[in-house]
Amino acid sequence: MLFPGMSADFTSENFSAAWYLIENHSTTSFEQLKMAVTNLKRQANKKSEGSLAYVKGGLSTFFEAQDALSAIHQKLEADGTEKVEGSMTQKLENVLNRASNTADTLFQEVLGRKDKADSTRNALNVLQRFKFLFNLPLNIERNIQKGDYDVVINDYEKAKSLFGKTEVQVFKKYYAEVETRIEALRELLLAKLLETPSTLHDQKRYIRYLSDLHAPGDPAWQCIGAQHRWILQLMHSCKEGYVQDLKGTPGLHSPMLDLDNDTRPLVLGPLSQTASLKRGSSFQSGRDDTWRYKTPHRVAFVEKLTKLVLSQLPNFWKLWISYVNGSLFSETAEKSGQIERSKNVRQRQNDFKKMIQEVMQCLVKLIRGALLPLSIPECGVRQYGGWEVKSELSGQWLAHVIQTIRLTYESLTALEIPNDMLQTIQDLILDLRVRCVMVTLQHTAEEIKRLAEKEDWIIDNEGLTSLPYQFEQCIVHSLQSLKGVLECKPGEASVFQQPKTQEEVCQLSINIMQIFIYCLEQLSTKPDADVDTTHLSVDVSSPDLFGSIHEDFSLTSEQRLLIVLSNCCYLERHTFLNIAEHFEKHNFQGIEKITQVNELC
């Protein structure tokens, strides 16, 4: 709708202008507004007239220029059609092409050399920038030859991080060469790892290298398996060497058994010294030192075998411990493969336990084959026996062997090997102790048989000869030699644990008494012609054994019978009781049966 006084041609623009005036110039007077409108109209007219005047002023010049250009164009078109075939610029184009060809002919060689120099310069820049990768294959070979495996591994890790995923063909080619040489290094390190013999330090070093190189499989477990086979091979080779030497074909000892020159320390260094000190204590004090050079082959074999085990098994056990706790591997490899190795350790525990038990069983069976051949099953005689020795070791040498095996057991226990894995050694020690007691008592019985030959018939003030004293001393010395054998070390059972052993030992003890009584009977009934009274072989340590001796000294059968009866009385009242006390002191069983022998006197 329209406001009052508003004409019909009042547009929206006029309305906006009016509203603008109302808003911004409400205080301005009407006259002032009229003057402002007049000024605005005047400025607008001037602007329009100025542009139009400019155009009008230059219009004639524009038309003249247009006419001139048209005339020139027509002239050029007419001249080009008549004098030049084709376009009017063809001649210019031909000239320019000839100029270009001439320039190419003059400067082609120079430009070619420049391009070649640019490409060479670019290539040198690339070589300089990536020379690490291009020189890496040759550097790897050189460092491998020098044994600088740490440098090789560091360079490989750097190259792998920079070019492992590159798509540039040149880089891929050289990186493939690097991988080829690294694979050859893995094979070389694995071969060195499985070489035998080798030190624990070298084994750990090669395992760590292979771990850093991300070698496939489980090199550490392969090393443990190789060491296990090596130890078993050493033990069997040791036995074969001594068996062949015993048969008179020396020189078959394997060089790998030469442990005397082995510079690697044993787990317990003082072992050999302790064994040497305690070895002499197993023998009577009056024994000649030449026993050191007369060691039986089987005893020397046991010493060598136990020394071999103590030189190899500690490192083998430590290698397993390092495998379990992960110290074999580098920190980077340990973090990346920790879960997988944990699974491997759990799976390998039973396998390693079987390895240790196999080594212990091999050690025990080889010693049994040498010292207790009857305890070896017939199927294992060829593998663990074959000594073909008829004579048995004396009790003194058996006691020495027992001491050696005990020291071996203590050394293995110090490694914290579980006791259940060493139980077979304890069983062997018990069997050897029992056998030592049996052999010693049997040997004592043999010595008692020969006492009759030492009877000198020289009586002391009590009417006795030296025979009862010699008899008692013979048994005392035998029991003293068994003192260390009968003593129970930690974890050992008593020799008399089994009733069968008690019965056999008691029977042997009784047999010794009976043999001596039989000797006295022989002396009492011996014909006069068979009695030698000229020798005076007595024990000088027994006081007052000599009476008055005459050159024509001789005894009748009645006198000999009387002396024998006197000795029997002394045996019944003193000697047998003393011997029973000695047996009881050494924990012999069945003492009451031994003392019942008195009734036979």
Side-chain angles (χ1 to χ4, degrees):
M1 62 178 291
L2 297 177
F3 291 101
M6 184 181 298
S7 62
D9 60 349
F10 193 81
T11 63
S12 61
E13 288 80 2
N14 296 334
F15 182 81
S16 298
W19 186 258
Y20 172 79
L21 293 174
I22 294 172
E23 287 288 330
N24 295 283
H25 300 281
S26 58
T27 59
T28 305
S29 63
F30 180 74
E31 292 299 329
Q32 289 177 340
L33 291 176
K34 287 177 65 177
M35 290 176 62
V37 169
T38 303
N39 291 332
L40 288 175
K41 287 181 179 180
R42 189 182 296 112
Q43 290 178 359
N45 291 331
K46 287 181 179 179
K47 185 175 181 181
S48 302
E49 292 176 357
S51 300
L52 182 61
Y54 175 78
V55 173
K56 290 179 179 180
L59 187 60
S60 59
T61 305
F62 172 76
F63 285 120
E64 290 176 359
Q66 176 67 22
D67 293 340
L69 288 175
S70 297
I72 292 172
H73 182 264
Q74 292 175 1
K75 181 65 175 177
L76 287 175
E77 285 290 337
D79 293 343
T81 304
E82 295 176 357
K83 299 180 180 180
V84 182
E85 297 180 357
S87 175
M88 66 177 181
T89 59
Q90 185 67 39
K91 182 177 179 180
L92 179 61
E93 181 179 359
N94 294 335
V95 172
L96 292 176
N97 287 334
R98 286 196 301 270
S100 176
N101 292 334
T102 303
D104 290 342
T105 303
L106 292 175
F107 300 101
Q108 185 66 39
E109 184 178 356
V110 176
L111 294 175
R113 288 198 300 268
K114 179 182 180 299
D115 292 340
K116 185 176 181 180
D118 291 340
S119 62
T120 303
R121 189 180 299 106
N122 293 333
L124 290 175
N125 290 334
V126 172
L127 287 175
Q128 183 66 23
R129 185 177 179 183
F130 301 103
K131 65 179 181 179
F132 166 74
L133 177 63
F134 298 141
N135 295 333
L136 189 55
L138 182 59
N139 290 336
I140 288 177
E141 290 184 356
R142 291 175 179 174
N143 289 325
I144 288 176
Q145 292 176 358
K146 293 188 296 184
D148 294 337
Y149 303 121
D150 290 308
V151 177
V152 175
I153 293 172
N154 291 335
D155 289 345
Y156 171 66
E157 290 295 335
K158 181 179 178 181
K160 186 177 181 180
S161 63
L162 293 176
F163 306 101
K165 298 181 180 180
T166 183
E167 296 297 332
V168 180
Q169 292 301 321
V170 176
F171 295 161
K172 290 175 68 175
K173 178 181 178 181
Y174 277 88
Y175 185 74
E177 291 290 331
V178 172
E179 286 290 356
T180 301
R181 284 160 175 76
I182 291 298
E183 182 61 31
L185 176 60
R186 292 191 186 104
E187 296 176 358
L188 175 64
L189 292 175
L190 183 60
K192 287 181 175 292
L193 176 63
L194 301 182
E195 280 182 359
T196 50
S198 62
T199 63
L200 179 62
H201 173 73
D202 289 340
Q203 291 169 358
K204 288 184 175 181
R205 188 161 58 95
Y206 292 137
I207 290 173
R208 186 162 298 177
Y209 289 152
L210 290 168
S211 175
D212 291 338
L213 292 174
H214 307 286
D218 194 349
W221 181 252
Q222 289 179 265
C223 179
I224 292 175
Q227 288 300 308
H228 171 247
R229 293 187 295 271
W230 165 252
I231 294 174
L232 294 179
Q233 181 184 352
L234 280 179
M235 296 168 71
H236 285 287
S237 298
C238 180
K239 190 267 293 187
E240 292 298 331
Y242 275 94
V243 169
Q244 295 298 332
D245 192 18
L246 183 62
K247 293 180 180 179
T249 55
L252 296 180
H253 292 282
S254 173
M256 60 188 177
L257 296 177
D258 188 11
L259 299 177
D260 296 333
N261 296 326
D262 193 350
T263 58
R264 288 174 292 173
L266 301 182
V267 63
L268 292 180
L271 175 60
S272 58
Q273 300 176 2
T274 307
S276 300
L277 292 175
K278 294 190 177 182
R279 172 161 48 189
S281 64
S282 300
F283 296 85
Q284 298 179 14
S285 59
R287 189 175 181 87
D288 192 347
D289 287 340
T290 56
W291 67 271
R292 296 179 182 272
Y293 307 102
K294 299 178 182 179
T295 304
H297 276 76
R298 289 176 290 171
V299 176
F301 160 69
V302 173
E303 291 181 342
K304 191 78 170 184
L305 184 64
T306 53
K307 182 179 180 181
L308 185 153
V309 171
L310 289 180
S311 67
Q312 300 293 328
L313 196 61
N315 288 342
F316 182 61
W317 180 259
K318 291 177 182 178
L319 183 64
W320 164 252
I321 297 300
S322 300
Y323 179 79
V324 171
N325 59 32
S327 61
L328 285 176
F329 313 99
S330 64
E331 295 182 0
T332 303
E334 185 177 359
K335 292 178 181 178
S336 61
Q338 187 173 7
I339 298 177
E340 182 178 356
R341 270 193 300 277
S342 299
K343 295 180 180 178
N344 289 340
V345 168
R346 289 193 294 269
Q347 295 172 357
R348 306 296 191 191
Q349 283 180 345
N350 291 333
D351 295 335
F352 183 78
K353 182 177 181 180
K354 292 179 181 178
M355 289 182 181
I356 292 293
Q357 290 175 339
E358 187 175 358
V359 172
M360 295 297 104
Q361 290 173 0
C362 182
L363 172 66
V364 169
K365 288 181 180 179
L366 287 173
I367 296 177
R368 286 184 180 275
L371 306 179
L372 303 172
L374 297 180
S375 64
I376 295 293
E378 186 176 353
C379 59
V381 171
R382 182 176 180 181
Q383 183 179 7
Y384 301 103
W387 289 89
E388 299 180 2
V389 179
K390 296 181 180 179
S391 61
E392 191 168 13
L393 290 176
S394 65
Q396 296 169 336
W397 282 116
L398 285 175
H400 167 63
V401 169
I402 292 171
Q403 179 64 17
T404 301
I405 300 177
R406 278 174 167 173
L407 292 173
T408 303
Y409 178 82
E410 292 175 2
S411 301
L412 296 177
T413 304
L415 294 174
E416 298 182 356
I417 298 178
N419 292 330
D420 59 333
M421 297 185 184
L422 304 176
Q423 185 57 43
T424 54
I425 299 181
Q426 285 285 23
D427 297 339
L428 171 64
I429 293 175
L430 178 59
D431 291 346
L432 286 174
R433 291 167 63 204
V434 172
R435 189 59 193 164
C436 182
V437 172
M438 301 292 185
V439 170
T440 301
L441 293 179
Q442 292 171 358
H443 180 69
T444 303
E446 295 296 328
E447 290 184 350
I448 297 299
K449 287 181 182 179
R450 294 190 292 270
L451 284 181
E453 302 173 0
K454 300 180 181 181
E455 178 59 273
D456 53 13
W457 301 105
I458 304 300
I459 59 176
D460 58 9
N461 295 333
E462 297 180 1
L464 303 174
T465 64
S466 62
L467 206 59
Y469 176 80
Q470 293 183 35
F471 169 63
E472 182 178 350
Q473 289 302 308
C474 183
I475 294 179
V476 170
H477 287 159
S478 297
L479 294 178
Q480 286 179 347
S481 68
L482 291 174
K483 181 178 179 181
V485 176
L486 295 173
E487 181 183 358
C488 293
K489 298 294 183 180
E492 293 183 354
S494 172
V495 173
F496 308 107
Q497 182 181 17
Q498 299 295 330
K500 181 180 178 181
T501 303
Q502 297 179 16
E503 184 64 28
E504 292 178 355
V505 171
C506 182
Q507 189 59 43
L508 285 173
S509 303
I510 294 174
N511 187 42
I512 291 174
M513 307 293 189
Q514 292 173 342
I515 288 176
F516 185 67
I517 294 173
Y518 178 73
C519 290
L520 294 178
E521 291 179 357
Q522 280 187 319
L523 290 174
S524 64
T525 59
K526 201 171 187 179
D528 295 342
D530 296 336
V531 178
D532 183 11
T533 59
T534 58
H535 67 279
L536 300 174
S537 177
V538 296
D539 188 354
V540 296
S541 62
S542 179
D544 196 20
L545 289 177
F546 293 96
S548 58
I549 304 175
H550 304 281
E551 294 179 359
D552 58 347
F553 179 76
S554 62
L555 292 175
T556 63
S557 59
E558 290 81 2
Q559 290 174 325
R560 293 198 306 274
L561 179 60
L562 184 60
I563 293 174
V564 169
L565 290 176
S566 176
N567 286 339
C568 287
C569 291
Y570 185 82
L571 287 173
E572 183 181 4
R573 292 195 304 269
H574 299 285
T575 304
F576 283 160
L577 295 178
N578 293 339
I579 291 175
E581 290 180 1
H582 284 294
F583 278 126
E584 186 175 5
K585 180 180 178 181
H586 290 83
N587 298 321
F588 275 65
Q589 305 296 317
I591 303 300
E592 64 282 355
K593 296 182 181 180
I594 298 175
T595 54
Q596 289 176 1
V597 183
N598 290 345
E599 300 175 0
L600 300 176
C601 294

